[in-house]
Amino acid sequence: MSDIEVPARPKKARKKANPKVGIVSLGCPKALVDSERILTRLRAEGYEISDSYDGADVVIVNTCGFLNSARQESLDAIGEALAENGKVIVTGCMGGNPNEIRKAHPGVLAVTGPQQYESVVAAVHEAVPPKHDPFVDLVPPQGLRLTPRHYAYLKISEGCNNRCTFCIIPSLRGDLASRPLREVMIEAENLLKAGVKELLVISQDTSAYGVDIKYAGSQWRGRDVKAKFLDLARELGDLAADHKAWVRMHYVYPYPHVDDVLPLMAEGKVLPYLDIPFQHASPKILKAMRRPAHQEQTLERLKAWRRQVPDLTLRSTFIVGFPGETEEDFNFLLDWLDEAELDRVGCFKYEPVQGAKANELDGAVDEDEKQDRWERFMEHQRLISERRMARKVGQEIDVLIDEPAQDGDDAVGRSAADAPEIDGNVFISGDGVEALQAGEIVRVTVEAAEDYDLHATLAPKR
Ligand code: SF4
């Protein structure tokens, strides 16, 4: 089961035990936000959250259907929940294909698709009716979260207008649907007031925010503010600064208008960090993938960004072994990596996801070749990462503490260059480390670097 953050139970005892719901949340941060919304709704209705199969009256499995391996993991999770608890409701990306789930697990109570919060809640009502006590306020204003108290994902839109040939997300989640700016800002403010120190902005395509609603303005702090990537970044940066918190941008594409956000990074309003899923570099493969912004002068743009913001961290993911990828395309990618010198990189072997257009392309790459390219890619990037990390030794940087030091261990934190779960850590040792608390931002001196992690001591106070 996932770790679930549940606020302390109100002191006033309730007469009857409230029904309990467990949740298994699989997949990406966007799916995690869906799980949080479902739990928030259920908690508002009086349900309690169980962190074990035993203690739950019903279990929700929020599935991921992005890759075949993720589909299998989802089916296994449903099987485990059925074996351990017996009452299981399935939702999320795989819920878009109920037949596949029912074929593997006929015993599930209900199957609902992604973002069908109403249907999930209705299925829970049917399985275990609510016992709402209107005199007890069960939900804090920031909702319920599955992340630690000091960071939170902020989802600014659903769906996607792009049609990348390897991806089935638009068919599962629909076209881009942006949230009004005011709604996003109110959620951000509630999170910050509740002690969140890092807002992680997510969506399928963050740089496309507002396109679908024609950048409609809404009232925020007495002004009409447009639902635009730049305006959102500026407002979030200002709000976070009031709370001494960080804002980190994920899933941004290198469109020209992203240039406008760089000054906010140079000023320190938004973290100098961009997560840009490039997926490949060869123009032929990018065209076959139908990637957004694939015709932009990407390398020139990255170099210009770094001139403007020298400590900018660039993170990306890539796919090797896409249909039609030749040795020449692959070597082009490796050469491109040398030029781009990205800081953080993930790599996947192409998987023919059921329903993806790319499966119809010629030139499937065999599995051994994919594995070989993946290993060469990872080693190539490891050396780049090692070089970039070594430059940080001796620097003073800010670190957000994730885990306090315990029993003589180091405290563990992250710098502006490290998003939670996917990037590296900063291990802090030495004098004063025992006093550090999760959620605190401290200044450290980098003493040593590994391929992905840093080791540091607390910097002298000035
Ligand atoms: S940008 Fe492409 S890969 Fe990302 S969700 Fe949209 S279609 Fe899928």
Side-chain angles (χ1 to χ4, degrees), residues 1-175:
M1 303 284 284
S2 316
D3 287 339
I4 296 169
E5 187 191 350
V6 183
R9 186 182 293 207
K11 290 227 166 64
K12 246 191 244 174
R14 290 182 289 277
K15 289 187 197 102
K16 284 187 268 180
N18 286 334
K20 290 198 172 124
V21 180
I23 193 158
V24 179
S25 191
L26 303 166
C28 62
K30 285 152 276 195
L32 189 74
V33 171
D34 290 346
S35 296
E36 291 173 344
R37 289 199 184 150
I38 293 166
L39 286 187
T40 299
R41 268 289 300 276
L42 290 170
R43 189 83 173 110
E45 293 180 354
Y47 288 88
E48 294 197 9
I49 314 302
S50 168
D51 62 0
S52 71
Y53 288 121
D54 282 356
D57 297 305
V58 63
V59 175
I60 300 167
V61 181
N62 190 1
T63 57
C64 173
F66 187 50
L67 296 174
N68 290 346
S69 46
R71 298 173 95 80
Q72 190 51 52
E73 191 192 348
S74 295
L75 288 175
D76 292 348
I78 297 166
E80 182 182 304
L82 277 169
E84 297 286 332
N85 181 283
K87 280 188 162 181
V88 176
I89 292 164
V90 178
T91 186
C93 283
M94 255 192 105
N97 188 356
N99 292 342
E100 186 181 354
I101 292 166
R102 291 207 180 277
K103 200 165 146 214
H105 297 296
V108 297
L109 297 179
V111 180
T112 71
Q115 298 148 49
Q116 293 179 354
Y117 310 121
E118 301 298 326
S119 313
V120 182
V121 170
V124 171
H125 289 169
E126 196 161 316
V128 198
K131 285 185 191 146
H132 183 52
D133 179 349
F135 298 107
V136 182
D137 182 9
L138 296 162
V139 183
Q142 75 276 17
L144 293 183
R145 292 186 290 113
L146 296 167
T147 47
R149 191 175 291 276
H150 60 280
Y151 67 80
Y153 294 102
L154 183 65
K155 198 183 206 181
I156 59 169
S157 61
E158 302 282 1
C160 183
N161 282 349
N162 301 314
R163 294 293 181 265
C164 303
T165 52
F166 56 82
C167 177
I168 55 169
I169 297 242
S171 66
L172 295 172
R173 300 195 155 232
D175 283 340

Side-chain angles (χ1 to χ4, degrees), residues 189-209:
E189 189 169 45
N190 284 335
L191 289 167
L192 292 165
K193 281 183 183 162
V196 162
K197 289 291 168 197
E198 181 177 8
L199 292 171
L200 300 133
V201 177
I202 57 166
S203 66
Q204 304 295 348
D205 180 354
T206 296
S207 34
Y209 174 63

Side-chain angles (χ1 to χ4, degrees), residues 226-257:
K226 285 196 180 329
K228 263 189 148 170
F229 180 48
L230 174 62
D231 301 66
L232 177 74
R234 188 193 305 112
E235 297 300 328
L236 284 175
D238 285 344
L239 184 65
D242 294 346
H243 294 264
K244 297 193 170 38
W246 291 353
V247 177
R248 189 185 296 279
M249 296 289 178
H250 287 279
Y251 316 121
V252 173
Y253 287 93
Y255 299 118
H257 74 270

